[in-house]
Amino acid sequence: MESPSSAASRVDFYGFLDRMRRPAAAGLFRSIKSFLASLSLDAEVDGARVQAFYAAMEAAFREHPLWANATHQEIDHALEGLEKYIMTKLFDRTFAASAEDAAADAEVSERIGLLQRFVRPEHLDIPKVLHNEASWLLAVKELQKINSFKSPREKLLCVMSCCQVINNLLLNASMSNDRTPSGADEFLPILIYITIKANPPRLHSNLKFVQLFRRETKLVSEVEYYLTNLISAKMFIVNVDGHSLSMEDNEFQMHMETAKLGTEICVASLSSPQGSATSTRGLQKQTDTEGSRFPFMDSETESLTPAELKQLHGLYRQVVTRYTSLSKALRKLSIDEDQLLASVDDDP
């Protein structure tokens, strides 16, 4: 699978730029600059116009002396270079440029952040034989790269790389366990789980950008299948409920409320002076034992310094605040504390 930063990708782009610098390309270059200046700030409208421009430029390349007797592959390389050039220039005007896109990105990211706290492979009916942390981690890393690139092709290559890892996992599992691959029935749940674990930045905007500005002639076959599956994974995450995760709705709501409280507590702890003011002695104990979350558990009262007593008091206040918040949430959901503790114990 080609990497977004591979030599082949660079050859397409720099080869295109090299020809555009030649005097014979002056007319083509003026057409490109004029087109860029004519675009609006409406991504959907611009998307249709960009696609039409790709088609017009393909015809222009085929008729131009600089591409005389060029093969289909050479024309394709020129068009790949054109796409990257145009979309790099337009990136700030077309990617996550609207308030609606920013809100959608935030909503998806926040929802994934909550799901990360409790969703496990079994909630998506992923068979044990397909549990492979090494492959999952590789797929996660590939998907997280999507926001590091500006061209639609390079973003799409990140999606392809992620999906190829999953596909290889399915193939290897079928060969080593003498089982018949189930196709999308097993592929999509794993992709959903990978997407939750990865929480790729600006997922909504990245998918929209690829759909609008990647050359339509390239969104076919395997590429189309993988992109469609990632779009489906995003929609699953946006609309997920208890039934989707093989659990009762009240259990799902309990998990979501607990996850929200956990997120709020983490944010509060990070922004709290007491949360950041730890003594050297406390930090040493935190790194030495499994009980690092309880730095004063083994301390003698007489040995505590004034600074440590102040820190201990701050920790006590945090515990009371967290307990109060959890109690309110439990009363709201009519869930007893034993059920909450049991759900926490079930989490690894």
Side-chain angles (χ1 to χ4, degrees):
M1 183 69 204
E2 183 184 344
S3 165
S5 56
S6 68
S9 295
R10 293 194 298 271
V11 166
D12 291 346
F13 186 54
Y14 292 120
F16 169 77
L17 292 181
D18 179 63
R19 295 202 189 200
M20 285 295 105
R21 293 190 184 100
R22 300 179 191 180
L28 291 174
F29 192 61
R30 281 195 298 270
S31 296
I32 294 170
K33 290 187 67 176
S34 176
F35 173 74
L36 291 173
S38 71
L39 291 173
S40 67
L41 295 178
D42 187 321
E44 281 77 7
V45 173
D46 288 345
R49 291 192 61 196
V50 167
Q51 294 294 337
F53 188 69
Y54 290 155
M57 289 301 292
E58 179 176 2
F61 287 160
R62 292 187 183 280
E63 296 174 359
H64 198 279
L66 284 174
W67 282 273
N69 302 315
T71 64
H72 175 77
Q73 185 178 38
E74 288 171 331
I75 296 295
D76 186 66
H77 287 174
L79 290 168
E80 295 288 24
L82 173 69
E83 179 187 288
K84 182 170 182 176
Y85 178 81
I86 287 177
M87 295 318 303
T88 300
K89 292 289 186 182
L90 294 176
F91 186 78
D92 291 338
R93 294 163 52 186
T94 55
F95 180 78
S98 70
E100 292 79 7
D101 287 337
D105 283 330
E107 178 187 356
V108 173
S109 181
E110 179 182 354
R111 193 161 183 81
I112 291 177
L114 297 178
L115 295 172
Q116 282 180 331
R117 290 179 170 266
F118 67 90
V119 171
R120 301 291 179 262
E122 52 268 25
H123 292 134
L124 298 166
D125 298 323
I126 299 174
K128 290 272 188 186
V129 70
L130 298 177
H131 292 197
N132 188 315
E133 289 293 339
S135 293
W136 289 350
L137 179 60
L138 180 57
V140 164
K141 294 299 182 184
E142 291 298 327
L143 189 55
Q144 287 175 335
K145 294 177 185 176
I146 193 172
N147 207 50
S148 302
F149 300 95
K150 290 188 175 182
S151 82
R153 178 198 186 194
E154 291 167 337
K155 290 181 180 294
L156 189 54
L157 284 174
C158 296
V159 176
M160 293 290 290
S161 295
C162 169
C163 291
Q164 287 282 11
V165 171
I166 298 172
N167 197 48
N168 290 339
L169 169 62
L170 293 173
L171 290 174
N172 291 335
S174 66
M175 289 188 292
S176 60
N177 295 278
D178 193 25
R179 62 196 298 271
T180 303
S182 300
D185 290 342
E186 291 182 340
F187 180 88
L188 182 57
I190 295 177
L191 181 58
I192 291 170
Y193 187 63
I194 294 301
T195 304
I196 291 173
K197 287 175 71 72
N199 198 358
R202 295 179 170 178
L203 180 59
H204 164 81
S205 290
N206 276 295
L207 290 173
K208 179 179 177 181
F209 187 75
V210 170
Q211 288 177 281
L212 287 176
F213 299 110
R214 179 58 173 147
R215 280 193 291 152
E216 290 177 344
T217 54
K218 292 294 184 178
L219 295 178
V220 295
S221 188
E222 185 181 45
V223 175
E224 181 183 27
Y225 174 75
Y226 288 150
L227 179 61
T228 300
N229 270 275
L230 184 56
I231 293 170
S232 297
K234 188 206 82 168
M235 294 308 300
F236 176 94
I237 288 166
V238 170
N239 299 310
V240 68
D241 56 18
H243 178 73
S244 308
L245 298 176
S246 305
M247 65 176 68
E248 296 296 328
D249 279 336
N250 63 342
E251 182 185 359
F252 172 76
Q253 291 300 329
M254 182 270 291
H255 280 305
M256 291 294 281
E257 288 296 332
T258 303
K260 287 178 185 176
L261 283 172
T263 300
E264 291 169 2
I265 289 170
C266 286
V267 172
S269 296
L270 288 173
S271 60
S272 163
Q274 292 91 344
S276 59
T278 55
S279 67
T280 303
R281 184 171 166 186
L283 285 173
Q284 183 62 47
K285 289 179 181 178
Q286 284 183 316
T287 58
D288 283 346
T289 67
E290 173 61 22
S292 60
R293 289 174 298 169
F294 314 105
F296 304 111
M297 182 63 71
D298 299 321
S299 299
E300 295 294 332
T301 306
E302 295 80 9
S303 68
L304 295 177
T305 66
E308 287 172 333
L309 287 171
K310 183 177 180 180
Q311 182 188 353
L312 186 59
H313 181 247
L315 291 171
Y316 167 77
R317 293 176 64 183
Q318 287 182 33
V319 169
V320 172
T321 301
R322 294 175 189 181
Y323 177 81
T324 303
S325 297
L326 286 169
S327 297
K328 288 180 180 178
L330 290 170
R331 285 195 296 272
K332 180 180 178 182
L333 294 169
S334 299
I335 299 172
D336 61 32
E337 294 182 5
D338 289 339
Q339 185 175 350
L340 175 63
L341 291 172
S343 71
V344 173
D345 289 339
D346 289 340
D347 288 338

